[in-house]
């Protein structure tokens, strides 16, 4: 977590079933609008950071060390929430990027695995207990994510119950004043499918030891946050203390290739972009009982054209690699399993596998993330090929250029 003003927490109840764009909008949009409206008045020079905890039965599996998830389902929900964040911020004229300046809101969605129908036992103990995924369970979230500036919850019966359960577990971690607990507008959640029928239809995703992703990551915005979060959901996390590890390789375009971009003078330097990616990922990868104010920073290893951060006692490594072409480490490093792309980089994934096949290497499994849009949500299907209104680094640079005129 970045230094400075404390982040705030928003507790979100489980998503509706089904979790389509309209259903997610009805469930979460009033809450997001209310919270973002309050946070934009912050006087912090760097804006506000908001951690959005989506508390739901995300994971499958009886044993803690063998948990799994349905990647397509979870990335779709994440895309829906980040699209709502983009839409609300666009309507309120609130900047969404990391370090967006005064009045900005840097919102980050964290998946928290918890079955809200199960009662918390009287003798529960807070402990950090990682599983085989990067998704944390509620007890681990409470133990590692603190302290908070404010805690927001929906003013609905479900929201009140969720806050009560959370505070019961959070007691003793941080002393909170009543002013720090803020109830906001709640949405309408309709479940037309039973949870059991949804779970029966699930087909869990095989996790991978090495996952790769590429991009410019200039002025880290909701589209980048979705890609990065969706990608790390594919990681197979080894036991803490194990000699094994999993790796997330992020190819980040070098400065030289961005000289001809629009408003190139406002492109962030490569190292700033790399460190911004690592700092954002720490929101989901670093787990310490001391919290983010007193906990130790992850180990950072820098060498020419590469920055690596080690999380969770070295079981997870994040390597930001400077790339000078469209392929990056995918054609120089054979030991890779999966490549994450968006709709607009779909063809790049095919080109990567063609190159790897030419070299006699196994192709990468391609995972495609939904595209974000700041357009009004309707019952019309979204065309993934239409990127005109999506949140973009170019749009952010343009606004910064205009503010300097």
């Amino acid at each position: 977590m970045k230094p400075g003003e404390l982040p705030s927490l928003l507790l979100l109840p489980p998503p509706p079933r089904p979790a389509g764009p309209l259903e997610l909008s009805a469930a979460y949009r009033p809450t997001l609008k209310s919270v973002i409206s309050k946070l934009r008045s912050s006087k912090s020079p760097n804006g506000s950071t908001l951690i959005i905890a989506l508390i739901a039965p995300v994971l499958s599996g009886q044993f803690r060390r063998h948990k799994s998830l349905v990647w397509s389902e979870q990335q779709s929900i994440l895309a829906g929430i980040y699209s709502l964040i983009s839409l609300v911020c666009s309507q309120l004229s609130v900047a969404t990027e990391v370090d967006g300046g005064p009045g900005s809101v840097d919102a980050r969605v964290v998946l928290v695995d918890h079955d809200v129908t199960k009662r918390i036992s009287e003798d529960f103990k807070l402990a950090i207990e990682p599983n085989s995924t990067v998704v944390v369970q509620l007890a681990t979230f409470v133990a590692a994510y603190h302290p908070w500036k404010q805690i927001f919850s929906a003013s609905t019966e479900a929201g009140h119950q969720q806050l009560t359960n959370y505070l019961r577990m959070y007691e003793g971690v941080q002393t909170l004043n009543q002013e720090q607990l803020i109830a906001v507008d709640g949405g309408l959640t309709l479940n037309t499918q039973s949870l059991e029928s949804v779970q029966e239809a699930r087909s869990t995703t095989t996790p991978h030891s090495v996952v790769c992703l590429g991009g410019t990551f200039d002025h880290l915005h909701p589209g980048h946050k979705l890609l990065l979060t969706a990608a790390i959901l594919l990681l197979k996390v080894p036991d803490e203390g194990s000699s094994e590890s999993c790796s997330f390789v992020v190819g980040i375009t070098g400065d030289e290739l961005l000289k001809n971009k629009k408003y190139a003078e406002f492109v962030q330097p490569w190292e700033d972009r790399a460190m911004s990616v690592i700092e954002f990922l720490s929101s989901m990868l670093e787990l310490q009982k001391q919290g983010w104010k007193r906990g130790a920073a992850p180990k950072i290893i820098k060498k020419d054209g590469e920055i690596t951060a080690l999380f969770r006692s070295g079981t997870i490594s994040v390597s930001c690699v400077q790339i000078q072409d469209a392929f990056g480490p995918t054609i120089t490093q054979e030991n890779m399993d999966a490549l994450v792309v968006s709709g607009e980089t779909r063809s790049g994934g095919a080109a990567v596998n063609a190159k790897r096949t030419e070299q006699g290497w196994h192709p990468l499994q391609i995972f495609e993330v939904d595209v974000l849009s700041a357009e009004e949500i309707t019952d019309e299907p979204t065309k993934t090929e239409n990127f005109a209104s999506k949140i973009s680094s170019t749009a952010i640079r343009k606004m910064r250029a205009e503010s300097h005129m």
Side-chain angles (χ1 to χ4, degrees), residues 312-332:
R312 302 191 189 181
S313 302
T315 55
I316 303 176
S317 71
V318 175
S319 295
C320 294
V321 181
Q322 188 171 163
I323 57 177
Q324 305 297 347
D325 55 43
F327 301 100
T330 59
I331 61 169
T332 59

Side-chain angles (χ1 to χ4, degrees), residues 349-359 363:
V352 162
N353 275 340
K355 279 280 190 181
R356 288 178 64 89
T357 301
E358 285 177 15
Q359 297 176 181

Side-chain angles (χ1 to χ4, degrees), residues 340-357:
V340 178
V341 299
S342 66
E344 62 183 338
T345 59
R346 185 186 305 136
S347 59
V352 162
N353 275 340
K355 279 280 190 181
R356 288 178 64 89
T357 301

Side-chain angles (χ1 to χ4, degrees), residues 160-372:
H160 176 72
Q161 185 60 48
Q162 187 180 54
L163 176 64
T164 300
N165 290 337
Y166 175 83
L167 292 179
R168 182 178 163 218
M169 299 181 73
Y170 197 63
E171 186 177 359
V173 178
Q174 177 188 358
T175 301
L176 295 165
N177 300 320
Q178 192 61 41
E179 294 76 20
Q180 292 175 276
L181 303 176
I182 304 173
V184 295
D185 295 339
L188 178 64
T189 299
L190 294 176
N191 294 319
T192 58
Q193 299 174 331
S194 68
L195 181 59
E196 290 74 17
S197 67
V198 172
Q199 290 174 334
E200 286 176 4
R202 284 177 164 184
S203 177
T204 56
T205 306
T206 302
H208 298 277
S209 295
V210 185
V211 178
C212 186
L213 174 66
T216 61
F217 298 102
D218 182 40
H219 299 289
L220 203 76
H221 57 65
H224 298 138
K225 295 173 185 178
L226 169 62
L227 280 169
L228 292 167
T229 305
I232 61 172
L233 291 179
L234 293 167
L235 288 172
K236 180 182 180 181
V237 182
D239 287 317
E240 190 170 345
S242 168
S243 59
E244 299 179 351
S245 65
C246 62
S247 300
F248 181 35
V249 182
V250 187
I252 302 180
T253 310
D255 294 337
E256 192 66 26
L257 292 183
L258 301 179
K259 284 185 174 180
N260 295 324
K261 285 277 188 180
K262 289 184 178 179
Y263 312 101
E265 65 273 26
F266 291 95
V267 172
Q268 294 175 305
W270 182 87
E271 183 165 330
D272 290 356
R273 290 181 277 131
M275 292 304 297
S276 185
V277 165
I278 289 171
E279 187 279 319
F280 170 76
L281 290 172
S282 71
S283 305
M284 285 147 282
L285 299 182
E286 192 55 57
L287 300 176
Q288 301 181 64
K289 286 200 76 171
Q290 298 86 353
W292 42 69
K293 291 293 282 186
R294 299 188 303 275
K299 183 178 181 181
I300 302 289
I301 304 167
K302 293 185 179 182
K303 59 182 182 181
D304 188 33
E306 184 172 340
I307 300 176
T308 298
L310 303 179
F311 296 96
R312 302 191 189 181
S313 302
T315 55
I316 303 176
S317 71
V318 175
S319 295
C320 294
V321 181
Q322 188 171 163
I323 57 177
Q324 305 297 347
D325 55 43
F327 301 100
T330 59
I331 61 169
T332 59
Q333 182 178 332
E334 183 177 4
N335 180 29
M336 287 186 175
D337 305 314
L339 175 65
V340 178
V341 299
S342 66
E344 62 183 338
T345 59
R346 185 186 305 136
S347 59
V352 162
N353 275 340
K355 279 280 190 181
R356 288 178 64 89
T357 301
E358 285 177 15
Q359 297 176 181
W361 293 356
H362 67 272
L364 301 177
Q365 187 171 355
I366 306 296
F367 292 86
E368 185 174 327
V369 178
D370 291 352
V371 174
L372 295 191

